[in-house]
Every structure is written in C-alpha cells, then in structure tokens.
C-alpha cells in the first residue's frame, strides 16, 4: 500500500507536529485541523484514506464530529480515534458514534500508522466473495455487506472483521486470543479493546426481540450460533 491521504484532527500542537513529522517521513499526504468544526468541514469536502481524530476538541468534540460525519454527511472514511480516556464506557461511546478503532494516549507512532493502514485495507474490502450464513444472518465479504433478516446491519471495519471470523468458525467457540491475534496481531490496544468492539457488534446484530446469535463463553471467547448450548 502506497502513501495515504490522512486528515489529522488534533488540538495539541506538539502531538500534531509529531504526527506530521512521522507520517510525512513515511510519504503520507496530510491535512490538519486544530478544532472540531474545521475538522468536520475538511472531512466532508475532501476524500481521505483515513482520519486521526482526537476525542476532546474545541468547538466540536470528537464523538459529535464522528456522529455527524457518519449520520449526516454519510462519509465512511476510516477513523482512528485518539483518546486520553481509557474507561471502557468512553471507548464504547466513541465506537458507537462511528469510530473504527481507538488508541489510548500516549501511543507509539509505528503502532498508530499500522492500525490506520489496517483500517484502510479492510475498508477497501480486498477479500474473497463467498457469502457466509448463519440462520437469518448473512455476510458478503466482497461487498462488506451484513444482513440480518430483512435489515442491513451497519458496522465499522473491526466489528465487521469479527463477525466474519466468527461466521467462518461455523458455530465453534473462537478464543479471545484468536480474535485479538487476527485483528491486532501481537499488540492489542488494551484489555478492553475486544470487549468494546464486541459490544458494538452485539448491539447491531442482536436487536431486541430477535433470537440472540452472538454468545459469550465466559473465560474462553465468543461464538455465533443459533443456540447458546
């Protein structure tokens, strides 16, 4: 993958400068906004491969920006959220607003770039086109299209990758270690990362009144199945 066009929305000038120095040396094309309103404008009017988005911003906070970008502007640009908040609830709020993944500050620059490249690669859907099914749940990897019954299920790239991994497992339990390794390799962001993305996946796939398909096997991992037995 060649250099990416990246929007950095970060009000900390020292961190923004460090991001610029590292990413420009890696041949990426960069734009910067130091507040949420400017960042939202740039994200809407331009086409970026990825966005680095601070959670706490002047003018418009990162969660509101993310939600407006997804719901009002209809933009699907991959978003890596940068946050100093490390509680599970804060992470879930960001992911449910439309962020694709997150990094807790301080972070390593190489890890940041790797995670952003992974999000971009997955958003482009460079995978085989074999429809996976379980009951009324179906997933087309080629089109990145997930459906449950008659409804279209919208998911960010990481929960989408998780549902694909679980569907390919054909109802067997997939361990936390297997899932973390498939998504993040040897360096998951923190101990809450998988749980936060699974929360987003469960809320999207198992709506109230529907038979639960995503099951937690305590102390082991997760499985997609029509029964929790």
């Amino acid at each position: 993958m060649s250099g990416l066009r990246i929007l950095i929305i970060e009000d900390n000038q020292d961190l923004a400068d460090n991001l610029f120095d590292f990413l420009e040396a890696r041949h990426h094309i960069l734009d910067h906004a130091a507040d949420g309103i400017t960042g939202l404008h740039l994200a809407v009017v331009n086409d970026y491969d990825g966005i680095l988005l601070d959670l706490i911003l002047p003018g418009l906070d990162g969660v509101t920006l993310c939600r407006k970008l997804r719901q009002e502007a209809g933009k699907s640009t991959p978003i890596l959220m940068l946050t100093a908040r490390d509680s599970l609830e804060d992470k879930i709020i960001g992911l449910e607003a439309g962020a694709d993944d997150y990094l807790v500050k301080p972070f390593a620059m190489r890890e940041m770039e790797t995670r952003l490249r992974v999000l971009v690669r997955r958003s482009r859907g460079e995978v085989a086109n074999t429809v996976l099914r379980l009951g009324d749940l179906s997933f087309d990897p080629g089109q990145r299209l997930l459906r449950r019954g008659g409804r279209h299920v919208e998911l960010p790239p990481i929960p989408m990758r998780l549902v694909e991994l679980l569907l390919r497992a054909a109802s067997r339990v997939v361990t936390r270690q297997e899932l973390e390794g498939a998504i993040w390799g040897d360096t998951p962001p923190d101990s809450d990362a998988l749980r936060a993305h699974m929360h987003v996946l469960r809320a999207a796939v198992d709506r109230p009144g529907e038979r639960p398909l995503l099951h937690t096997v305590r102390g082991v991992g997760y499985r997609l199945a029509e029964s929790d037995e």
Side-chain angles (χ1 to χ4, degrees), residues 41-78:
H41 173 74
L42 289 173
V44 170
V45 301
N46 297 305
D47 290 324
Y48 294 101
D49 295 304
I51 297 172
L52 296 173
L53 174 63
D54 188 20
L55 184 62
I56 303 174
L57 292 164
L60 189 70
D61 66 89
V63 170
T64 303
L65 186 158
C66 199
R67 188 174 292 116
K68 285 180 174 293
L69 193 63
R70 298 299 194 221
Q71 297 178 3
E72 296 179 17
K75 285 278 192 171
S76 58
T77 311

Side-chain angles (χ1 to χ4, degrees), residues 81 87-98 102 192 195-197 199-200:
M81 183 175 69
S87 76
L88 178 61
E89 186 60 31
D90 285 325
K91 296 162 188 171
I92 288 173
I93 288 171
L95 294 171
E96 288 185 332
Y102 65 86
D192 286 334
R195 188 157 45 132
H197 287 290
H199 177 94
V200 173

Side-chain angles (χ1 to χ4, degrees), residues 106-217:
F107 50 82
M109 291 290 173
R110 287 184 61 189
E111 181 180 6
M112 172 275 301
E113 186 199 23
T114 298
R115 294 198 189 286
L116 190 60
R117 283 188 178 276
V118 168
L119 293 177
V120 172
R121 190 162 57 245
R122 286 179 181 151
S123 74
R124 293 174 178 173
E126 298 166 357
V127 291
N129 188 20
T130 302
V131 176
L132 306 171
R133 301 182 188 278
L134 174 72
D136 62 350
L137 185 70
S138 66
F139 176 61
D140 184 331
Q143 299 185 49
R144 312 306 290 170
L145 180 64
L146 182 68
R147 300 190 68 85
R148 172 115 198 232
R151 65 182 177 88
H152 179 210
V153 181
E154 292 279 358
L155 283 174
I158 286 182
M160 191 72 84
R161 175 64 173 146
L162 288 169
V163 79
E164 179 181 0
L165 290 166
L166 291 166
L167 280 168
R168 291 188 186 279
S171 296
R172 77 170 176 87
V173 177
V174 184
T175 67
R176 289 182 58 91
Q177 291 78 11
E178 287 179 90
L179 293 170
E180 288 174 344
I183 299 297
W184 296 291
D186 296 330
T187 56
D190 56 47
S191 60
D192 286 334
L194 182 61
R195 188 157 45 132
H197 287 290
M198 280 296 183
H199 177 94
V200 173
L201 175 57
R202 178 174 277 115
V205 168
D206 291 335
R207 292 281 180 84
E210 296 177 333
R211 175 186 294 183
L213 295 178
L214 179 58
H215 307 285
T216 301
V217 182

